[in-house]
Structures are given as structure tokens and as C-alpha cells.
Amino acid sequence: MAVVLSTPIVTPLGINIDMTKNLGVNYSPFPKVHLFSVSTPLRTRKPVVTVVSSRKNIGTGLASEDKKLLLERYGYDANEFSSQSKKSRRKEEERSGRNSQKEEEVVVQPRTTHRLLQVLAGTAKRKKLLSLKGMDVRPMMEVVKGAAFGILQAAGGCPTSLRPGRWLDLYSGTGSVGIEAISRGCSEAHFVEMDPWVVSNVLQPNLEHTGFVEASVIHTARVENFLERADKLVGKDRAFDYISVTPPYMEVDYEVLMNQISKSAAIGENTFIVVEYPSRTTMLDSCGCLEKMTDRRFGRTHLAIYGPKWAQKPRKS
């Protein structure tokens, strides 16, 4: 843009030049501005409107009419905005739904076994038994099992073997207690285990490995249900000579369980009951007509044995 001065210009030679006279051109003291039109329309940027809502404050935010007026004031189409909000909300819900489904998908690790247990004494002595890796099935520790059978054999009058009889192994799992009983002289053992996988992949192979299949009966059922139907399953007049109770510690109420056992047809006047239980659990001094013979501690594991009166040791006065 040219700038036109109305005052004469003084040259270095001292000659005054009047721009309005000497050039023969009519100049205006104001510059000429040429207006032009743009073929493409100018884009005007709309202000950004952010509407914040919180789920915690539902009912305290703007009403729908107020939101609509606010959007129209800034040049937005309220209907278009609401439809876009619904679409974005739907996408977020679908995305969160997929994430929740992925979180719910739990990878189930395959259950595996190993041979760490063994029969301690009797005809199947030192034979290895299968058990589950991990803590799904927690068998009785060998030191506890050895102590329990030592007490039972002494009470029966034969320190080297059990009196012949029938054994009921509740919460049998691997079957190590019932198998130990058959190995030491019991004529028959009943195993109660509710997990079909454990029965087919652990208990049954252990019975086959020790050769005690013919002397065994497996009941795939919950212990509570078995005790309720014991009179139908084993006969009213066929109480067991021995019962072992080795439940998962945190999944049973020992007071309720022992009360159910005491009223079951599974026990009789000459039955011995072996109970493994954790610390901070109170065991009663009797279970039906049976009295507590001993109560020992092995670390965090306790062992209580109930038996008939004739098997009680005379107490020192």
C-alpha cells in the first residue's frame, strides 16, 4: 500500500518537490482501498460448550430444558447434541461391558496330581498314593495319621493292628485314611467325597493301586446328605466301627457337624470317631454316647478321638 504525503519533499539538492503538482497526478491524502469478494465463505469457529454431569449428583444438575436453552444460545442443535451424547454413551457402555466380560473370564488351571503320600503300615505299607497339587484337597498329615492309628490300635488291645471292623471315611479326598484302615486290618471302608473329579482321578486310582477296590464303597455325595440318609445307605443296625472326620477347616461348622454325626445312624455304642480340627475350635467332651478319649495338638492341627466307655483309660487320681 502506497503512502502519500501532502507536504513537499526536500531533496538532498535543496529542491522542493510538491507531489500534487509536479507529477501531474491527482493524489488523495487518503489511500485507496480496493474491496474484493471471497468466493469461499469464511468459516466461523463456534465456541466449545462442555456440559459436565456426575452420577453422584443425579438430580442436582441442569434440567433438560435448561441444557437445551444453553446449547441453542451457543448455536448448537440440541437434538443433534442429545443424539450424539446417546451414541457416545452407548459406545462407552458397550466398551465397559466388554471389559467386564474379559474380567469375568477366569482362566481355570488344569488340576494335576502327584505321589507324595504313602501308606504307613500294614499290608500296603510304603505304597505311594496320589494327591492333588495345591490346596484343593488337604490330606491328613502323616504324623497325625500315625498318632491316630496308634491310639486306636492300643484302645482295641492290639498295638500292631486294628480290630476287624468297618471304617467310614468322611471328606475322604485322596482316601489315605480309609486306605490306611484297610491296610491295618479293617474288613471294609466307605469313602464319602462330593467332588466327582477327585473320585475318578485320585480316589479310585489309589484304591486300584493298593488293591483295595473289592473292600471299598465310594459315595459321591455331600457329607451332610450322607449322614441324613445313613440308615438307608448302610442299614439301621449296621453302625460303623470307626469314623474319620477330616473336613476343610474353613468350610464347616464343627458344632453343627458333630451334632449331626451324634444323631446319625452311622455311629453306635462301640464306635470310635477320629476328628481333625484347627486351632481356636472348641470340641465338646462327648459326641452322643461316646466320650472324648484324647485331644492332641500337632502345630496348628488338633486331633480329638471319641470312643466307648470301655475304651477309656482310667484317670490317675
Side-chain angles (χ1 to χ4, degrees), residues 46 80 92 113 151 252:
K46 294 182 180 180
E80 181 181 357
E92 289 180 1
T113 60
I151 295 170
V252 298

Side-chain angles (χ1 to χ4, degrees), residues 3 10 33 38 78 109 163:
V3 178
V10 181
V33 179
V38 182
Q109 297 295 335
R163 289 187 304 112

Side-chain angles (χ1 to χ4, degrees), residues 78-236:
N79 295 328
E80 181 181 357
F81 184 83
S82 61
S83 62
Q84 290 178 357
S85 300
K86 290 180 181 179
K87 289 180 181 179
S88 61
R89 196 180 304 116
R90 192 179 301 112
K91 288 181 180 179
E92 289 180 1
E93 291 176 354
E94 291 176 356
R95 193 180 299 112
S96 62
R98 292 194 200 101
N99 293 336
S100 62
Q101 288 179 358
K102 289 180 180 179
E103 291 177 359
E104 290 176 359
E105 292 178 359
V106 179
V107 179
V108 179
Q109 297 295 335
R111 304 170 83 178
T112 56
T113 60
H114 52 184
R115 291 188 182 273
L116 292 181
L117 303 176
Q118 66 175 350
V119 182
L120 300 180
T123 58
K125 184 178 180 179
R126 293 195 181 90
K127 285 195 174 182
K128 296 290 185 178
L129 302 177
L130 288 172
S131 62
L132 265 177
K133 291 183 179 179
M135 296 301 292
D136 290 346
V137 176
R138 183 193 51 77
M140 178 183 280
M141 294 187 301
E142 291 187 353
V143 62
V144 180
K145 183 169 64 174
F149 279 95
I151 295 170
L152 293 177
Q153 290 173 180
C158 183
T160 58
S161 63
L162 286 173
R163 289 187 304 112
R166 299 165 65 242
W167 189 286
L168 175 61
D169 189 357
L170 299 177
Y171 304 97
S172 60
T174 63
S176 65
V177 180
I179 290 173
E180 188 77 32
I182 300 174
S183 179
R184 293 182 183 236
C186 274
S187 57
E188 182 180 297
H190 288 244
F191 300 86
V192 182
E193 172 57 45
M194 63 174 290
D195 192 334
W197 191 93
V198 173
V199 170
S200 59
N201 293 277
V202 181
L203 177 56
Q204 186 69 33
N206 283 340
L207 294 174
E208 293 173 356
H209 179 64
T210 53
F212 295 154
V213 174
E214 297 297 328
S216 305
V217 179
I218 298 175
H219 304 272
T220 307
R222 296 181 63 88
V223 169
E224 297 84 355
N225 297 338
F226 176 85
L227 293 174
E228 290 177 357
R229 302 176 55 200
D231 56 341
K232 297 179 181 179
L233 295 174
V234 299
K236 293 182 179 180

Side-chain angles (χ1 to χ4, degrees), residues 236-250:
K236 293 182 179 180
D237 300 327
R238 297 201 63 195
F240 288 94
D241 300 284
Y242 306 93
I243 300 176
S244 56
V245 185
T246 56
Y249 289 163
M250 307 306 294

